[in-house]
């Protein structure tokens, strides 16, 4: 009985613990380093480093709820940490998808994908209702496909232009600071 009492002495009883859901938007931009003689030949690396920025990566964590927990504080913190760590690892691909260098292709594929989905879904949905609705669905789906391709190209070009502008601005700032 003394052994059981000493094992439970470090534990706490939590009647109800509710940590609410968390939604974050992660943005990370690397700063340009000042030019010096050692790094002057490595302008290419500075451009690549600017492309590795993360732009508004969505991170969403579900709530953590526990009732009548009887654990040590260290053990309880480990359980909570494992809960959020596993969710972070599962969202790692969305963080990688938010890299500035990948944003243009990702936006392009998202827009074209929604257009292709609509191109097939709308006529099939109309065919279920009748021949006239099929033609309307075909028209609507084709318009959405054309819109998706156009918006994909425009947004992709805008993202690439923004990335190049950001990198060139960083290079010119370094150039004018050194003079």
């Amino acid at each position: 009985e003394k052994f059981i009492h000493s094992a439970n002495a470090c534990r706490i009883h939590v009647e109800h613990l509710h940590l609410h859901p968390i939604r974050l938007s992660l943005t990370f931009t690397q700063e340009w380093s000042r030019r010096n003689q050692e790094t002057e030949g490595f302008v290419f690396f500075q451009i690549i480093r600017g492309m590795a920025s993360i732009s508004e990566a969505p991170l969403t964590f579900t709530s953590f709820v526990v009732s009548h927990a009887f654990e040590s504080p260290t053990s309880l913190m480990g359980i909570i940490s494992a809960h959020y760590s596993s969710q972070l690892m599962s969202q790692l691909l969305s963080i990688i998808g938010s890299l500035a260098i990948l944003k243009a292709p990702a936006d392009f594929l998202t827009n074209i994908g929604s257009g292709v989905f609509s191109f097939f879904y709308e006529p099939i949905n109309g065919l279920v209702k009748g021949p006239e609705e099929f033609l309307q669905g075909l028209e609507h789906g084709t318009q959405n496909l054309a819109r998706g391709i156009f918006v994909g190209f425009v947004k992709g070009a805008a993202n690439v232009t923004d990335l190049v502008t950001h990198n060139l601005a960083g290079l010119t700032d370094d150039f004018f600071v050194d003079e």
Side-chain angles (χ1 to χ4, degrees):
E1 185 175 303
K2 206 174 212 186
F3 178 72
I4 294 173
H5 178 69
S6 66
N8 291 335
C10 296
R11 294 183 176 188
I12 58 172
H13 178 262
V14 178
E15 187 171 334
H16 187 75
L17 175 64
H18 186 165
L19 302 176
H20 291 278
I22 302 169
R23 182 177 300 163
L24 302 170
S25 179
L26 178 68
T27 300
F28 170 76
T29 305
Q30 295 188 27
E31 292 293 322
W32 290 83
S33 63
R34 295 183 58 93
R35 290 172 117 181
N36 59 33
Q37 290 178 344
E38 295 172 2
T39 62
E40 193 159 324
F42 300 113
V43 172
F44 175 74
F45 293 116
Q46 295 230 359
I47 292 172
I48 294 297
R49 195 173 65 193
M51 291 180 183
S53 299
I54 296 174
S55 176
E56 297 178 15
L59 293 175
T60 305
F61 298 97
T62 60
S63 60
F64 179 83
V65 179
V66 65
S67 295
H68 303 291
F70 189 60
E71 297 287 337
S72 69
T74 305
S75 175
L76 188 58
M77 287 302 295
I79 293 168
I80 294 170
S81 176
H83 171 76
Y84 289 114
S85 295
S86 66
Q87 290 183 40
L88 180 63
M89 292 312 245
S90 68
Q91 295 181 51
L92 189 60
L93 288 178
S94 71
I95 294 172
I96 291 171
S98 297
L99 287 171
I101 189 74
L102 299 178
K103 189 162 181 69
D107 282 351
F108 177 73
L109 292 175
T110 299
N111 287 308
I112 288 183
S114 65
V116 168
F117 174 79
S118 181
F119 180 71
F120 288 105
Y121 177 77
E122 294 292 333
I124 291 171
N125 193 29
L127 187 60
V128 172
K129 296 176 182 173
E132 188 174 317
E133 287 83 1
F134 169 74
L135 291 175
Q136 289 175 347
L138 185 63
E139 178 184 359
H140 192 256
T142 305
Q143 288 174 348
N144 285 344
L145 177 62
R147 184 180 303 121
I149 291 171
F150 178 75
V151 170
F153 275 116
V154 170
K155 278 190 171 181
N159 287 337
V160 169
T161 304
D162 184 48
L163 184 63
V164 169
T165 303
H166 174 73
N167 287 325
L168 289 177
L171 286 175
T172 55
D173 285 347
D174 285 347
F175 179 74
F176 289 121
V177 168
D178 287 344
E179 288 183 350

